[in-house]
Amino acid sequence: GALLENSDKWFHTLFGSHRKISLNDILAWRDQQVLYEIHRYGWFIDYWMESGLLRDIYTHKLTSLAHWSMLIEPAKHNKTEQDTVFNGLLQNDNTIEESHDPRCANKVSGGCQPIQI
């Protein structure tokens, strides 16, 4: 939660300033980010293996197109905003229907699916 939400701010503080950055600062930032990045890459692989199925990055549960749009633009929507929308979807026993990224049908030749290279 807060770790991911504040990560970009911390990165900017460390690397966006003109002060000298210590090796300890860089290593601390790396250690904070590595598991998040691994998780995100796994989610991205699942996206293609499941033909663009819309899933939440953090829980891998099905999600809506509105929430998905927030997930793919994390610079515009922080983790708290994303969680608010996702938790709203789950209230009152709402069932989230399986849906796929519309770009797979409209913009990707052959759809979103793994291919052999």
Side-chain angles (χ1 to χ4, degrees):
L3 182 69
L4 299 177
E5 185 174 332
N6 294 321
S7 174
D8 289 339
K9 293 175 190 170
W10 195 43
F11 181 86
H12 180 71
T13 300
L14 288 175
F15 301 110
S17 65
H18 296 289
R19 71 178 182 81
K20 185 175 180 180
I21 301 165
S22 74
L23 178 59
N24 286 339
D25 286 342
I26 294 169
L27 294 176
W29 178 83
R30 179 207 59 195
D31 292 346
Q32 178 183 2
Q33 285 295 108
V34 71
L35 292 178
Y36 169 70
E37 292 297 328
I38 291 169
H39 186 80
R40 194 167 176 90
Y41 279 114
W43 167 79
F44 188 68
I45 291 167
D46 288 346
Y47 168 84
W48 286 101
M49 296 301 289
E50 297 177 324
S51 303
L53 183 62
L54 303 183
R55 290 189 180 276
D56 178 65
I57 292 173
Y58 308 100
T59 66
H60 288 267
K61 293 181 180 178
L62 296 177
T63 193
S64 69
L65 183 57
H67 182 243
W68 170 261
S69 298
M70 294 176 80
L71 291 171
I72 61 174
E73 295 192 77
K76 289 185 178 180
H77 308 282
N78 66 36
K79 177 85 168 66
T80 301
E81 292 170 325
Q82 294 169 10
D83 286 348
T84 299
V85 170
F86 188 63
N87 291 334
L89 293 172
L90 300 177
Q91 289 179 355
N92 302 321
D93 295 325
N94 287 338
T95 301
I96 300 172
E97 297 295 325
E98 194 172 286
S99 60
H100 295 264
D101 188 341
R103 296 175 300 175
C104 293
N106 303 328
K107 294 186 178 183
V108 178
S109 175
C112 296
Q113 59 185 349
I115 60 169
Q116 184 175 357
I117 298 176

